Amino acid sequence: MDERAKDKVNMKKIIIKAPAKINLSLDVTGKRQDGYHEVEMIMQSIELCDTVYLTKTRGGIDVSADCLDVPLGNDNIAYKAAKAMQDVFCVGDGVDIYIKKSIPMAAGLAGGSADAAAVIWGLNRIWDIDANRDELMKVAVSIGADVPFCIMGGTALAQGIGERLTPLSVDLNCHVVIVKPPISVSTGKVYSSLDLIKTCKRPNTTAIIDFLKAGDIEGIGGYMENVLEDVTETIYGGIYDIKREINRFKPLGVLMSGSGPSVYGLFNTREEAYRAYLTLKETYGDIYITRTCPCGVCII
Ligand code: ATP
């Protein structure tokens, strides 16, 4: 048996790193007939990640996790991803999925989407599906708008409902401090409360892309905006207080990620980030220090 064939027979288990994302910008450009919003956002993977363990079984899909808050069974987006892979590619095998959760939940950091991306990408291997990237991306978007980006990772412009991705070949190499206030945000409620006509604080997406391509990290800070920030602040409060606190440490930029409530500061050096992290930790219990990451899901 040649090495590649041997690899396939042995590949019953796989461990995948599933990175979270932050939004360097988030703009909503319109609303579609089907209710989805058209977005234009710059997405960035970060090292903060879940770890997803996949074990091939004879049938069925089982999901477990190290955290009681994670929904199990078919309420878990990882389950939905596995079921879609089974259905689309007519697979008879099953899988045990174990999720080691490090990405805070319902935080605007695409934790669930990252797990789903890991499942799609990993099952393509352990179930020997051999689907190409486009086929996997189709399954990914059927599960959630952020899932295709979580497969691809790095830095990218996302358009459409978030699934139309243009990779931006840059390595941002920044340090990130994330504060998650103790609020549960409903993404649906935030989007449905957005009044595009009244929205005046919009990101200059083109300027951010130009700065990124020129490697001018200092330049992007002044243009980072998220049109959902005002909405989440109005409904839930607390976002601007955190922005103000992070701003005391002179980050390159500070922004709410996704529909929130996580707010992050972007720093040039680990020292600057760590100084902010240590001080903010005294006030905010749910705080993370991480860095930008150039890739999406990958085998550990
Ligand atoms: P996004 O940024 O893509 O909007 P998010 O970071 O705001 O996502 P998630 O962490 O994905 O939010 O969780 C949203 C909800 O999805 C949770 O409250 C939880 O009930 C449910 N959920 C289902 N599967 C998962 C999973 N594998 N991990 C986390 N949450 C999950």
Side-chain angles (χ1 to χ4, degrees):
M1 198 185 294
D2 74 18
E3 282 308 309
R4 211 162 153 248
K6 240 193 260 170
D7 259 8
K8 282 197 167 181
V9 171
N10 292 334
M11 202 178 262
K12 303 280 187 229
K13 280 188 180 189
I14 195 169
I15 305 174
I16 300 166
K17 171 176 148 177
K21 62 86 187 165
I22 50 174
N23 290 87
L24 297 180
S25 69
L26 194 161
D27 199 7
V28 176
T29 52
K31 197 171 174 189
R32 303 193 323 191
Q33 297 277 346
D34 60 9
Y36 278 103
H37 286 82
E38 292 274 346
V39 294
E40 191 169 79
M41 47 194 188
I42 301 176
M43 315 274 271
Q44 173 64 54
S45 302
I46 53 176
E47 290 286 350
L48 177 65
C49 63
D50 287 347
T51 309
V52 179
Y53 298 71
L54 302 178
T55 308
K56 182 172 165 181
T57 62
R58 288 180 193 282
I61 299 167
D62 188 68
V63 182
S64 58
D66 67 342
C67 163
L68 286 177
D69 297 336
V70 176
L72 303 178
N74 54 9
D75 283 338
N76 197 297
I77 187 171
Y79 177 98
K80 291 182 182 133
K83 185 77 182 70
M85 289 294 281
Q86 251 181 357
D87 293 347
V88 171
F89 299 108
C90 306
V91 175
D93 296 323
V95 64
D96 280 350
I97 303 169
Y98 174 70
I99 303 169
K100 218 165 146 228
K101 205 80 195 147
S102 298
I103 306 172
M105 287 171 57
L109 302 172
S113 301
D115 299 344
V119 167
I120 291 170
W121 195 77
L123 289 182
N124 190 40
R125 296 196 150 208
I126 64 166
W127 281 349
D128 294 329
I129 297 172
D130 276 341
N132 64 34
R133 188 194 154 82
D134 285 354
E135 291 171 311
L136 293 184
M137 287 302 196
K138 252 190 217 158
V139 178
V141 73
S142 76
I143 302 300
D146 285 346
V147 183
F149 173 75
C150 291
I151 291 183
M152 190 178 89
T155 314
L157 170 68
Q159 292 166 301
I161 60 164
E163 88 296 2
R164 246 176 49 222
L165 297 170
T166 309
L168 301 169
S169 308
V170 292
D171 185 4
L172 198 52
N173 205 3
C174 284
H175 298 264
V176 187
V177 175
I178 303 167
V179 175
K180 182 188 174 277
I183 313 166
S184 280
V185 164
S186 155
T187 301
K189 187 169 175 184
V190 172
Y191 271 97
S192 63
S193 307
L194 174 71
D195 185 342
L196 279 177
I197 296 164
K198 286 195 190 142
T199 303
C200 44
K201 233 180 43 174
R202 309 189 81 131
N204 185 336
T205 311
T206 313
I208 301 174
I209 293 173
D210 289 344
F211 280 120
L212 282 170
K213 285 186 175 163
D216 183 352
I217 318 167
E218 318 270 332
I220 63 173
Y223 293 93
M224 285 164 50
E225 292 287 357
N226 177 344
V227 292
L228 302 178
E229 246 181 31
D230 275 348
V231 186
T232 305
E233 172 67 24
T234 306
I235 303 175
Y236 301 96
I239 305 300
Y240 291 157
D241 286 345
I242 299 174
K243 284 189 81 171
R244 212 170 19 253
E245 287 303 309
I246 298 179
N247 262 326
R248 285 175 41 216
F249 298 91
K250 307 263 180 289
L252 298 165
V254 56
L255 201 70
M256 184 180 83
S257 186
S259 54
S262 296
V263 177
Y264 69 88
L266 211 55
F267 294 88
N268 236 331
T269 66
R270 161 96 185 155
E271 288 68 33
E272 289 168 307
Y274 201 60
R275 197 166 60 85
Y277 170 80
L278 282 183
T279 310
L280 292 165
K281 201 172 165 49
E282 290 170 15
T283 312
Y284 302 102
D286 221 354
I287 181 164
Y288 305 81
I289 183 163
T290 183
R291 57 186 303 169
T292 55
C293 155
C295 55
V297 290
C298 59
I299 296 181
I300 294 179

